[in-house]
Amino acid sequence: MAIAIPEAEALDRKTLTADVLFIYPDGHQAFGFPLGVATLMPILRNNGLKIDFLDASSKNLPIEKVVQYVLETKPKIVAFTGMVHTSDWNRDASRILGEKVPSLIQIAGGSWANPAPKFVLQNTSIDYVIKGEVDEVISDFIKNLLNDKPVDHLRGLCFVNSSGQYIENPNPDRPKEIDKIPYPAYDMVDLEYYIIKVKAKHWHWLQKRVPLLSREEANKTLRIASVTSGRGCYGKCDFCAAADTWRRTNSPKYIVGNMEFLMKRYNVNTFNFNESLTLSHTKWVKSLCREIIDRKLNIYWYGLSRGDFPYDEELLDLLYESGCVGVDVGYESGSNRMLHDMRKYITVEQYYKSHKDFTDKGLMVYGQFFTNMPGETLESLDETIDFVKKTRMLFIVFRFCV
C-alpha cells in the first residue's frame, strides 16, 4: 500500500529553530522540481527532526536575501542542493555564510556536489558532502551532527579531517524496497511554481492527438507535474551517471497513488516522469498502464525510454489507452559504430522499426542524442542527422560531449 503524505507541521520561526534548513538555489525553472530534497524532508520529519526549506528559485531570491533568512532563523545545519548549473550560486552563498556564521554546519548533496565532492569542499565553506542514495543514512548523519557524535564512519560521507586529509567513504547501500520511501513533501514546496500550465492544443506532446480532441478538451488547461517511477537504469552506456545502477521500480499502486494525490490536492491532470528511465520492463509497464486505466484517472503522461526497450502490440495499445502521449528516447546516435562504442547494443535499423511502431500507434517520439563522443567523425554525425531527417522527429535534443 502506498505511503500516506503527512501534513507539514507549521514552523513558527519566532520560537522554533530548524534542525536542518534545505536551501534550493536560484536558477531552476518550473521543470526543476526539487525531487531529491522533497524526498529526504519527510524521512527526516518522520525521525523527529525539525525541517525548513528555502526555495530561492520559486521565490526568485538573491543570495543576500538567503543569507538574511539564515541569520534571522538560525538553523542548526544548512544543506545545499541543486543542479550543476547552480554550482556558482551555491559556492557564493556558502562562502558568505561561512564568513558571517563560521560555526554554522554546512552540508551538501545532489548532482552539483556528487560528481566532485573534493572540489566542492575545497572551494566552499561546506563541511560535508553526502553522496549516493542517502535515504537510509541521512537521519543518523543529521542526528549525530546535532548531538556532537562521530560521523566519520558513515557511508556516503566526504570531508576533510582534522589533519587536512580528504576522506571519501563508500556510497551507502541503495534502498531495495523503495515503496517504503515516503512520497515527496509537496507541502513544503511551492508546488504551483513547479506545475507547468499550457493549453492542450498548444502542448507539443499532444500534436498527434489535437485533431482528435473535442473543442472543450483542446482548450483545457493542462497542469503538468513531475513524478518518478523508480530509480536507476539497467543500461551500461559508458557516458551516463545512471549506468548499471540497478533499476528498481515502484509498484504501480504506489505510483498511481501519488498521481491521485496530486490530482485531488493540486488539480494536476498531466504527468511528466522526470527520471532516467520509465519504460523499463515490459510486464511492469503493462501493469502501470492497467492500474491507470482501472482507476479511470483520465490523464495524460509521458516518460523516458531506452531505444532497446522490448515492446509488443498489446503494450503499445495499453500505453495509448492509459493516456501516454509519447516517449522521450535516448537514441544517442544514428551510427551503428558509435552505438557499439557507447555500449548500446542495438542497431539503427531497430531504431527505425520501433520509431515507426510507436508513431503509427499515435505516440509521439522525441529523441535525445550525444555528439562529439570519443570516436565521433563527420561521417557518424551525418548518419545521426540522416536518422533524424528520415524519422521526421518533431523535437530532438543534442548534447555536445566535451
Side-chain angles (χ1 to χ4, degrees):
M1 181 177 292
I3 298 170
I5 304 177
E7 294 292 341
E9 294 182 11
L11 185 64
D12 183 351
R13 295 183 176 88
K14 295 179 181 178
T15 60
L16 199 61
T17 297
D19 294 317
V20 184
L21 166 64
F22 285 97
I23 297 176
Y24 198 53
D26 192 17
H28 294 90
Q29 304 301 317
F31 50 80
F33 176 73
L35 177 66
V37 170
T39 301
L40 294 180
M41 287 193 289
I43 293 174
L44 294 174
R45 286 196 312 205
N46 292 345
N47 279 275
L49 293 162
K50 302 180 184 69
I51 306 303
D52 195 6
F53 178 61
L54 183 60
D55 187 349
S57 284
S58 66
K59 298 180 185 298
N60 194 26
L61 295 177
I63 289 176
E64 54 266 27
K65 291 290 186 181
V66 172
V67 171
Q68 180 184 346
Y69 183 89
V70 173
L71 295 177
E72 290 176 354
T73 59
K74 298 179 174 61
K76 298 172 185 175
I77 299 170
V78 295
F80 288 96
T81 185
M83 304 292 285
V84 173
H85 70 275
T86 62
S87 297
D88 288 351
W89 192 100
N90 279 339
R91 177 201 62 204
D92 295 344
S94 169
R95 287 177 175 177
I96 293 171
L97 283 174
E99 293 171 0
K100 291 186 175 294
V101 195
S103 61
L104 178 64
I105 300 173
Q106 298 188 26
I107 65 175
S111 61
W112 82 281
N114 282 358
K118 185 176 182 180
F119 181 84
V120 169
L121 292 168
Q122 289 173 336
N123 291 276
T124 67
S125 295
I126 287 166
D127 301 292
Y128 301 96
V129 170
I130 185 164
K131 62 186 182 69
E133 296 183 39
V134 301
D135 311 78
E136 296 177 350
V137 299
I138 188 68
S139 293
D140 286 342
F141 173 52
I142 297 299
K143 287 182 176 180
N144 282 12
L145 283 178
L146 293 173
N147 294 302
D148 201 25
K149 292 183 178 180
V151 297
D152 298 8
H153 63 287
L154 294 176
R155 295 178 70 91
L157 208 60
C158 306
F159 59 97
V160 177
N161 66 18
S162 57
S163 301
Q165 180 184 7
Y166 171 70
I167 305 295
E168 183 170 333
N169 292 340
N171 280 0
D173 293 333
R174 298 188 179 103
K176 297 178 181 178
E177 299 180 77
I178 57 175
D179 272 13
K180 291 184 177 180
I181 297 172
Y183 290 137
Y186 298 115
D187 52 278
M188 297 287 287
V189 180
D190 178 10
L191 195 60
E192 196 62 29
Y193 174 80
Y194 293 104
I195 293 175
I196 298 171
K197 297 95 175 171
V198 62
K199 292 286 186 184
K201 63 184 178 182
H202 296 149
W203 191 38
H204 51 277
W205 278 102
L206 267 180
Q207 292 311 297
K208 291 184 74 69
R209 298 196 189 190
V210 166
L212 306 176
L213 300 179
S214 66
R215 178 176 296 181
E216 180 183 7
E217 183 71 12
N219 285 293
K220 181 173 74 174
T221 297
L222 302 183
R223 291 173 56 82
I224 308 167
S226 294
V227 292
T228 61
S229 66
R231 296 188 181 182
C233 181
Y234 59 80
K236 300 181 184 296
C237 308
D238 67 350
F239 56 84
C240 184
D244 205 17
T245 50
W246 179 35
R247 176 62 185 176
R248 291 145 291 151
T249 51
N250 287 110
S251 68
K253 289 186 183 296
Y254 179 99
I255 296 164
V256 179
N258 191 21
M259 288 176 163
E260 284 191 323
F261 172 82
L262 290 167
M263 292 172 71
K264 293 174 182 177
R265 184 65 62 87
Y266 299 100
N267 200 28
V268 172
N269 54 25
T270 306
F271 295 92
N272 158 33
F273 280 90
N274 190 4
E275 54 193 348
S276 299
L277 184 65
T278 310
L279 305 191
S280 52
H281 308 293
T282 306
K283 182 178 178 181
W284 176 88
V285 175
K286 290 181 179 180
S287 296
L288 174 63
C289 293
R290 291 191 180 104
E291 188 71 25
I292 294 172
I293 295 167
D294 291 347
R295 296 204 201 185
K296 299 179 172 60
L297 292 196
N298 189 27
I299 59 170
Y300 296 122
W301 65 274
Y302 62 98
L304 285 87
S305 175
R306 290 172 51 86
D308 59 0
F309 172 66
Y311 63 91
D312 55 28
E313 191 72 17
E314 180 190 34
L315 185 138
L316 296 178
D317 288 336
L318 285 169
L319 285 172
Y320 191 92
E321 187 181 352
S322 67
C324 179
V325 293
V327 289
D328 196 347
V329 181
Y331 290 118
E332 318 310 356
S333 177
S335 161
N336 282 325
R337 179 181 61 79
M338 290 302 300
L339 290 175
H340 180 271
D341 290 349
M342 293 177 185
R343 298 199 297 177
K344 296 184 74 71
Y345 302 119
I346 189 170
T347 65
V348 177
E349 291 70 31
Q350 290 171 282
Y351 279 172
Y352 277 112
K353 181 181 186 308
S354 62
H355 183 274
K356 183 178 186 303
D357 290 343
F358 272 76
T359 55
D360 284 353
K361 191 59 67 173
L363 300 166
M364 297 287 292
V365 177
Y366 286 8
Q368 303 263 356
F369 296 88
F370 259 106
T371 61
N372 201 43
M373 291 287 289
E376 187 85 87
T377 63
L378 289 176
E379 180 183 3
S380 61
L381 282 172
D382 284 342
E383 290 177 301
T384 297
I385 293 169
D386 190 50
F387 172 66
V388 171
K389 285 181 176 179
K390 287 182 178 179
T391 53
R392 302 185 68 172
M393 285 181 219
L394 178 66
F395 185 79
I396 57 175
V397 174
F398 278 98
R399 293 184 173 88
F400 190 81
C401 178
V402 293

